[in-house]
Amino acid sequence: MAATLREEFTKGFWRTIPPFRLVLGLCPTLAVTTSGINGLGMGLATTFVLVFSNLFVSLLRRFIPTQVRIASFIVIIASFVVIVELVMQAYFYPLFKILGIFIPLIVVNCIILGRAEAFASKNGPVLSLADGLGIGLGFTLSLFVLGLIRELLGAGTLLEIPVMWASFAPFAFMLKPPGAFVALGILLAFMNLISQIQARKG
Amino acid sequence: MRDIIRMIVVLTLIGAASGLTLSVIHRVTAGPIEYQTIKFVKEPAVKKVLSGYDNDPILDREKITVGTDPRGNPIELTVFPAKKGGQTFAVAVEGTGKGFHGAIGVMVGISKEGVILDIGITSHSETPGIGSRVTGVEYTDRYKGLPAKKGVTVDAISGATYSSKGVVAAVNEAVSTVATFREEIF
């Protein structure tokens, strides 16, 4: 039990890290990662929704008839998204303004419905919590790293602190949508390289 | 048949539980959301259009009832007073006008003597680089010192006529509100 719990929690960090290994949830991944903080905020909002939707879907899995499961999952997910939206607006207004339309769009993030359908509807609440938390934190980590890279190259700052040398001319291109694809592609290639090296050693 | 009833019952229960939860959360967050909107959207505009006060116009904000909607509910407007020695000498009031892409919100500072001190755009969705030029100081400065009377007008920005008209309409709305509710405000 403890071993599977750990396994379900940690799989989201490398083996099935959502945007890189599954290449899912790309819309927020590419759109809001213009800085480390934005990526982190978006990731944590998604994690919150993922954890609670997994928990509730798992608790209600015997009660929901299979024919209407998708509709029920979406209602549960949408409720938590509205909660995140209201709480963010009330306590983190500047971040709410930046993320804007991408907060309500968490509803259609396929990672969340995917976990509800593929995992939480078949497993108990504790395992589902671990799964949601693991995948959510993996997603947050991906967005944070991608945001940091784009911020460093695109604006010459890390978490809004200037870190590059004085004559550094930022690649404004990295903050635009094509820059997001380029950064994502380079990260994917890098991760595949590490996996290959690991496979050769093993 | 039993299956169908079960589906209906389950979906209804889930929907009802969701609705109830959200209405509670909405109530709890309504106050903080209003405060945050005022702090991040209105405060910069209020600070721009008022000066020389020794109070906190945001904290001293007052709500006045400016009429009723078709259902009979009161329509409220928030007034930000600038005070010196406890005396209100100017106010900031928001008006809205129709721009090229929807409503433009304009905060207007009006002195007790009936002069427009300055204006600041609080919200707009005008075309970036074209209509959005109405938010620049080159344009908003044109309102400084005009008498706060009905029919305020300034030269429009060429290429941004509709946006300029929206701002003029918003300023006139704020001016007429202050004129109508002078007694209550000062």
Side-chain angles (χ1 to χ4, degrees):
Chain A
M1 179 70 191
T4 35
L5 194 63
R6 223 184 102 197
E7 165 67 9
E8 296 305 346
F9 178 66
T10 53
K11 70 175 183 235
F13 293 127
W14 181 264
R15 208 158 47 73
T16 60
I17 190 165
F20 301 138
R21 282 288 184 255
L22 308 178
V23 199
L24 282 182
L26 283 188
C27 170
T29 307
L30 297 172
V32 302
T33 53
T34 48
S35 77
I37 289 289
N38 293 356
L40 191 66
M42 186 70 208
L44 290 179
T46 312
T47 306
F48 173 86
V49 175
L50 189 54
V51 165
F52 281 95
S53 76
N54 257 12
L55 177 66
F56 276 77
V57 166
S58 169
L59 287 173
L60 297 173
R61 72 187 188 282
R62 286 189 229 287
F63 172 68
I64 297 172
T66 41
Q67 298 94 323
V68 293
R69 68 184 192 286
I70 302 287
S72 313
F73 296 167
I74 288 290
V75 173
I76 294 171
I77 295 168
S79 308
F80 284 107
V81 170
V82 176
I83 292 176
V84 165
E85 193 180 1
L86 288 173
V87 169
M88 257 195 163
Q89 202 176 352
Y91 301 104
F92 306 97
Y93 195 81
L95 190 63
F96 169 79
K97 283 298 262 190
I98 295 168
L99 299 181
I101 183 71
F102 292 100
I103 304 276
L105 280 181
I106 295 176
V107 177
V108 292
N109 188 323
C110 47
I111 295 170
I112 295 173
L113 186 61
R115 292 330 286 173
E117 167 75 6
F119 196 91
S121 64
K122 301 188 181 89
N123 290 284
V126 179
L127 275 184
S128 300
L129 261 184
D131 173 77
L133 201 61
I135 296 275
L137 290 179
F139 185 67
T140 308
L141 190 70
S142 322
L143 260 64
F144 185 52
V145 170
L146 199 58
L148 283 182
I149 294 173
R150 289 180 67 193
E151 188 183 345
L152 180 69
L153 296 175
T157 60
L158 273 184
L159 303 176
E160 283 154 28
I161 303 159
V163 287
M164 299 303 247
W165 57 96
S167 62
F168 173 75
F171 307 102
F173 158 78
M174 287 306 283
L175 295 182
K176 301 223 165 72
F181 281 99
V182 171
L184 181 71
I186 293 172
L187 261 177
L188 273 175
F190 190 63
M191 284 186 71
N192 283 347
L193 185 72
I194 294 178
S195 297
Q196 267 184 359
I197 293 172
Q198 271 183 339
R200 220 169 279 166
K201 272 186 191 159
Chain B
M1 192 59 198
R2 284 198 44 171
D3 270 1
I4 292 183
I5 292 174
R6 190 161 166 221
M7 282 184 232
I8 294 172
V9 169
V10 168
L11 270 182
T12 312
L13 283 180
I14 292 182
S18 151
L20 189 71
T21 319
L22 291 185
S23 73
V24 170
I25 303 252
H26 179 75
R27 264 209 194 169
V28 173
T29 53
I33 288 178
E34 191 198 353
Y35 174 78
Q36 295 272 331
T37 336
I38 287 179
K39 188 165 155 58
F40 287 99
V41 180
K42 317 260 171 164
E43 188 172 312
V46 171
K47 291 240 160 95
K48 177 177 183 273
V49 300
L50 298 175
S51 57
Y53 47 83
D54 57 9
N55 67 327
D56 184 348
I58 305 295
L59 215 59
D60 292 343
R61 67 179 187 269
E62 282 169 38
K63 279 192 175 153
I64 55 169
T65 311
V66 293
T68 51
D69 65 9
R71 279 190 190 162
N73 299 318
I75 300 173
E76 287 183 327
L77 187 87
T78 310
V79 177
F80 302 93
K83 295 179 183 176
K84 201 163 201 178
Q87 279 290 310
T88 305
F89 68 90
V91 289
V93 175
E94 197 177 12
T96 52
K98 204 176 159 302
F100 195 67
H101 295 293
I104 303 179
V106 182
M107 190 66 75
V108 186
I110 298 169
S111 74
K112 200 177 178 182
E113 292 76 39
V115 174
I116 295 179
L117 300 171
D118 198 357
I119 70 161
I121 313 291
T122 50
S123 64
H124 76 93
S125 37
E126 301 306 292
T127 319
I130 303 171
S132 70
R133 280 181 291 167
V134 296
T135 59
V137 283
E138 300 84 26
Y139 180 72
T140 59
D141 276 357
R142 294 180 192 175
Y143 289 89
K144 275 188 185 172
L146 293 180
K149 280 192 302 203
K150 210 177 158 190
V152 175
T153 133
V154 300
D155 290 343
I157 298 181
S158 59
T161 319
Y162 276 94
S163 309
S164 308
K165 275 186 184 165
V167 177
V168 169
V171 171
N172 277 304
E173 188 188 288
V175 164
S176 77
T177 312
V178 173
T180 318
F181 298 96
R182 229 192 129 71
E183 313 279 299
E184 280 179 61
I185 293 170
F186 290 106

